[in-house]
Amino acid sequence: MLLFVLRIIMAKEFRGPGKDVVHKIWQEFRLNEQRVKEAVEALKKWLAMEPHLPEESGTLHEDRLERWLIRCKNSMERTKQSIDLYYTLKSLSPDLMCDWDPRSKRFQDTAQTFCWFPMPKLTPEGDRVIMIKYLKKDAINYTHEDLIKMILISNEARMCEEYCFSDIYVCDLENYTLGHASRIVFTIAKKAEVCLMDALDTRLKAFHIINAPSYADVLVWIFKAVLNPKVISRVYVHGKDLTEFSKQVPRMCLPDDLGGTGGSLQDNWDLWLKKVDSYRDWFLQHENFKSDESKRQGGALSSDDVFGFEGSFKELNVD
């Protein structure tokens, strides 16, 4: 027990941004403290005028609006669009966007099999490295839906305190098997792309797949099928030779397991699970904050409007 406690204390915990990071990002997007406050107030007033969207309040709500604005590069129209889609997905896709209890058996079982977490330090450019790994070769204790839901829960926690320019995903397939490949569901992958890239406005700078076996082609094919061409161009596949990969991601932003100096992968994962659990009450209270499509001006949206390949929510004019 004592050894476990010492490991946790020594591990490098994820923390919110320092003032230097915040000001650097504000400068990039032509923002300052006053402009951020004005933008957040404008978003709050807009939400209050939209009858189909829920009314939230409090400091955490305002912090999230600020981060949405940053993720959308200080575009008010895009931020409104993203927020609208987020609440809409909570109504139209409850299979992924609801039932977010980090203490549920499904979440706990998935967390023993798969991990997704931000590394503690930002890169010198202000980007965040996100580690992804199958922890066990046994694929019995999770479903693709549970895996995606866990990623969304983690992203939701990040929205409450994260500040960075973009994400660098590092997906380690050391334990990836054909059993994992067989559990991928295309429709869920497509839904996940909309939730992550559009509703939560994830800005992906690079997606590195490392230790990729030959049958990882199935996973890469799924990525190429659901992601837009701009994002696909940022997917890099590495085998066992990580020489090129190590030139692209700073060691301080990688776990010790991959030759980095950011602490062990397991310690970081244990700490991140504690971080997610600290937001449990908020997750449970937030279950009912979703769109009421019967009150949407111009008519209710359906799943086909949001997830259809022809119709695109991105083109909806929320103004």
Side-chain angles (χ1 to χ4, degrees):
M1 180 64 182
L2 179 59
L3 178 60
F4 174 77
V5 172
L6 287 174
R7 286 175 61 206
I8 293 297
I9 292 174
M10 293 173 65
K12 300 177 181 179
E13 184 178 5
F14 175 90
R15 294 184 176 88
K19 290 184 178 180
D20 56 332
V21 174
V22 173
H23 290 153
K24 182 178 180 181
I25 292 176
W26 281 357
Q27 186 177 26
E28 175 70 19
F29 299 123
R30 301 181 300 281
L31 288 167
N32 54 41
E33 187 172 357
Q34 182 61 33
R35 288 179 180 176
V36 168
K37 287 182 179 179
E38 291 173 353
V40 169
E41 286 302 312
L43 288 170
K44 288 166 63 178
K45 290 179 181 178
W46 166 75
L47 280 165
M49 292 189 295
E50 294 293 331
H52 67 291
L53 297 179
E55 288 189 34
E56 295 194 55
S57 60
T59 302
L60 184 56
H61 174 54
E62 293 179 355
D63 288 346
R64 286 165 57 78
L65 291 179
E66 178 181 341
R67 282 155 176 79
W68 245 309
L69 182 72
I70 295 298
R71 287 189 172 207
C72 295
K73 299 181 179 180
N74 192 24
S75 166
M76 287 295 288
E77 181 180 358
R78 183 175 166 184
T79 304
K80 292 176 182 178
Q81 199 172 67
S82 179
I83 293 171
D84 195 335
L85 177 56
Y86 169 83
Y87 288 119
T88 301
L89 287 171
K90 289 181 74 69
S91 291
L92 300 183
S93 187
D95 54 330
L96 296 183
M97 295 291 287
C98 292
D99 189 23
W100 286 0
D101 184 355
R103 296 184 190 174
S104 69
K105 186 177 186 303
R106 293 176 67 178
F107 182 91
Q108 294 293 326
D109 286 347
T110 305
Q112 295 296 317
T113 307
F114 179 87
C115 69
W116 186 106
F117 63 87
M119 288 297 292
K121 289 186 176 181
L122 293 174
T123 69
E125 293 76 27
D127 302 316
R128 181 75 68 184
V129 172
I130 308 296
M131 282 302 307
I132 306 167
K133 186 173 184 177
Y134 293 89
L135 300 173
K136 298 179 179 179
K137 293 186 177 182
D138 187 348
I140 293 176
N141 290 329
Y142 84 99
T143 66
H144 193 201
E145 178 182 300
D146 291 337
L147 184 150
I148 296 300
K149 186 176 291 189
M150 188 178 76
I151 292 174
L152 290 171
I153 291 175
S154 287
N155 245 310
E156 190 82 0
R158 285 185 70 208
M159 279 289 286
C160 296
E161 55 185 271
E162 173 69 288
Y163 241 89
C164 66
F165 279 110
S166 57
D167 292 347
I168 298 174
Y169 280 18
V170 177
C171 182
D172 186 353
L173 297 185
E174 179 185 21
N175 296 321
Y176 183 76
T177 68
L178 288 172
H180 296 107
S182 67
R183 292 195 168 232
I184 295 174
V185 180
F186 180 82
T187 53
I188 292 178
K190 177 58 184 175
K191 281 186 174 183
E193 189 267 344
V194 175
C195 294
L196 284 168
M197 307 305 291
D198 298 332
L200 292 173
D201 249 279
T202 299
R203 293 206 306 275
L204 191 63
K205 183 174 184 177
F207 195 128
H208 294 280
I209 300 174
I210 64 175
N211 293 317
S214 58
Y215 43 83
D217 290 348
V218 176
L219 191 62
V220 176
W221 180 85
I222 289 289
F223 287 150
K224 291 184 176 180
V226 301
L227 298 176
N228 65 56
K230 183 178 180 180
V231 175
I232 291 172
S233 67
R234 297 170 183 174
V235 176
Y236 306 95
V237 182
H238 311 270
K240 299 294 182 181
D241 184 356
L242 302 182
T243 304
E244 202 59 38
F245 164 74
S246 63
K247 297 177 182 177
Q248 300 179 52
V249 183
R251 289 184 64 215
M252 66 178 183
C253 300
L254 290 173
D256 300 348
D257 316 54
L258 294 177
T261 60
S264 78
L265 184 138
Q266 189 62 54
D267 283 349
N268 276 287
W269 180 224
D270 290 341
L271 282 168
W272 182 249
L273 288 175
K274 290 179 182 294
K275 172 71 73 176
V276 172
D277 187 74
S278 71
Y279 285 103
R280 180 176 184 257
D281 290 344
W282 183 82
F283 286 146
L284 299 181
Q285 294 167 6
H286 204 245
E287 285 285 308
N288 296 321
F289 289 102
K290 57 184 71 175
S291 71
D292 183 346
E293 290 304 311
S294 67
K295 297 180 180 180
R296 182 184 289 274
Q297 297 175 351
L301 291 179
S302 67
S303 293
D304 287 341
D305 295 319
V306 176
F307 298 114
F309 289 95
E310 297 300 327
S312 174
F313 192 95
K314 299 175 186 177
E315 297 174 2
L316 181 69
N317 186 353
V318 296
D319 290 327

